[in-house]
Amino acid sequence: MSTQEQRIAGGLYGLLIGDALGVPYEFKPPQNLPPLEQIEFEPPEGFARTYEGLPIGTWSDDGAQALCLLASLLEIGEFDAEDFGLRLVRWAEEGYMAVDNHVFDIGITTSAAIRNLRRGVFAEAAGLTDEHSNGNGSLMRVLPLALWHRGSDEDLMDDAMTQSRVTHGHVRSQLCCALYSLWARRILQESAAPWDEAVQGLRDYLGEDSPGRKELEFHIFLGEADARGTGYVVDCLRSARWAVEQGPYEIAVKKAVALGNDTDTTACVAGGIAGLRDGLDAIPQRWREALRAQEVVQPLLDGLLNRL
C-alpha cells in the first residue's frame, strides 16, 4: 500500500477497532476499569462486561453508522441526506451494517431522529436542535466523509454539518463534525499542525461575527485538550484529541477507553484519527485479526482506495 492508502485504511479500521475495543467497557467509570495494559478486546477474567454474551471484536452503533455513511457516499457519488437517512432507518430496523445484523445500542437523540425519518420528515430536518441534544452520535460516524471527499474545504465542512443534521441538528454538533473532518483532512495532507490548521480553517469559514463563530469560541473551547470521556459532543472531541496526543495508535485508543464512560465512542473518534495519522500497519495485528465482519468492511475500503 502507498502511504495515502495506509492512512485511509488506518482511519477506517482505526475507528472500527477503537469502537470494538471500547464496547466491553462502556458506561463504566474510569476507576472501575482494568489497568491500561489489560484493556484488550477480551477483558481480564472477572471483569463484568457491559454486554455479556456479545462476541469480542464487535463494533457498535458508531461503526455501523460510519459504514452506512460510507456506503451511501460510494453508491450515490455525493452526500445525499435522504439516502443516508434511509440507511440509518435500515440500520435501526434491520441491522444494516451492524455485525450479525444485531443492533444493541441506540442513542436517545438518534432514536428520536429515526422516529422523525420514519414519519417522513426531511432528513436534513430530522435531527433535534435543542441544546440538550448535543450527544456525540453524529461526530462518531463522520470520518468516512473526510476520507471520501474530494471537494473544497468549504464543501467538506458543509457536508459534515449536513450529515450531522440528520440526527443532531444543533449547531454545536454540526461544528464539531466540521472541525473533526477538517482535522482529518489536514492529517491526510500531512500538515505540520493539523489541529491548529483545522481550527483556523473553521474560523475563516465561519467569519468574524457569525453565530457559529461565537458558538465555536465560547462552547467548543479550542485551547488545551482535556478529557472526561463523556457522551457530550464537545467533551468527546476534546477527549479524542487528548488521547491522540498520548502516543501511537495502541496507546491512544487504550487511553481513550481508560477515561471510562462512553468508552466505545471516545475510542472510535480517537482511533479514526490515530489510525489515519499512523497508518494501518500501526494498528496491532491481534486487533485487526479479531475484528469481526471484515467481509462487510473490505469492499467499502476497496471502494475508497479505488478513488485515489
Side-chain angles (χ1 to χ4, degrees), residues 282-304:
I283 300 174
Q285 184 70 25
R286 66 187 186 280
W287 292 348
R288 282 189 278 155
E289 291 175 352
L291 184 71
R292 303 182 68 228
Q294 294 193 39
E295 70 280 1
V296 176
V297 184
Q298 195 59 46
L300 297 173
L301 176 60
D302 290 343
L304 265 181

Side-chain angles (χ1 to χ4, degrees), residues 18-267:
D19 180 9
L21 179 68
V23 163
Y25 309 98
E26 192 178 10
F27 308 130
K28 309 284 188 184
Q31 64 270 22
N32 289 358
L33 295 182
L36 198 71
E37 64 274 10
Q38 294 183 23
I39 292 175
E40 291 286 345
F41 273 21
E42 182 70 66
E45 186 176 354
F47 180 81
R49 292 192 288 166
T50 301
Y51 302 100
E52 288 294 339
L54 188 72
I56 64 165
T58 300
W59 64 71
S60 72
D61 55 332
D62 308 40
Q65 289 186 34
L67 296 179
C68 287
L69 177 58
L70 179 54
S72 179
L73 293 167
L74 291 172
E75 184 170 328
I76 303 300
E78 62 183 1
F79 177 70
D80 183 316
E82 294 299 325
D83 182 78
F84 178 50
L86 289 173
R87 290 173 195 261
L88 291 182
V89 172
R90 284 184 61 196
W91 163 72
E93 293 182 346
E94 305 168 16
Y96 172 69
M97 293 296 169
V99 181
D100 298 331
N101 305 115
H102 175 46
V103 176
F104 56 89
D105 187 19
I106 303 181
I108 294 171
T109 303
T110 298
S111 292
I114 287 173
R115 288 195 295 272
N116 286 337
L117 290 166
R118 286 175 178 141
R119 291 192 296 110
V121 175
F122 287 122
E124 289 187 35
L128 304 187
T129 58
D130 63 285
E131 190 171 10
H132 297 290
S133 297
N134 273 310
N136 52 21
S138 58
L139 177 64
M140 69 190 189
R141 67 182 184 231
V142 73
L143 180 63
L145 182 68
L147 303 181
W148 169 90
H149 215 284
R150 296 294 179 270
S152 67
D153 288 350
E154 291 76 15
D155 289 341
L156 171 62
M157 289 186 282
D158 280 343
D159 284 344
M161 294 173 72
T162 304
Q163 75 80 32
S164 181
R165 290 199 294 271
V166 178
T167 56
H168 293 70
H170 193 275
V171 67
R172 195 171 306 163
S173 290
Q174 294 183 52
L175 290 174
C176 284
C177 290
L179 178 54
Y180 183 83
S181 296
L182 196 55
W183 183 24
R185 170 170 280 187
R186 292 294 179 263
I187 291 171
L188 269 175
Q189 294 170 338
E190 301 187 52
S191 300
W195 172 266
D196 293 338
E197 291 182 22
V199 168
Q200 189 57 52
L202 183 53
R203 282 176 168 149
D204 293 344
Y205 168 81
L206 294 170
E208 286 289 338
D209 297 314
S210 67
R213 180 66 177 267
K214 293 174 183 175
E215 183 75 31
L216 182 69
E217 304 297 348
F218 293 107
H219 293 287
I220 298 179
F221 314 120
L222 300 172
E224 292 299 316
D226 63 4
R228 293 176 294 165
T230 74
Y232 172 44
V233 66
V234 172
D235 184 50
C236 183
L237 179 60
R238 289 166 60 80
S239 296
R241 180 185 166 208
W242 173 85
V244 167
E245 292 173 352
Q246 303 311 299
Y249 182 87
E250 180 173 350
I251 295 298
V253 292
K254 284 189 170 188
K255 288 279 191 177
V257 172
L259 292 170
N261 304 305
D262 200 2
T263 51
D264 59 331
T265 304
T266 309

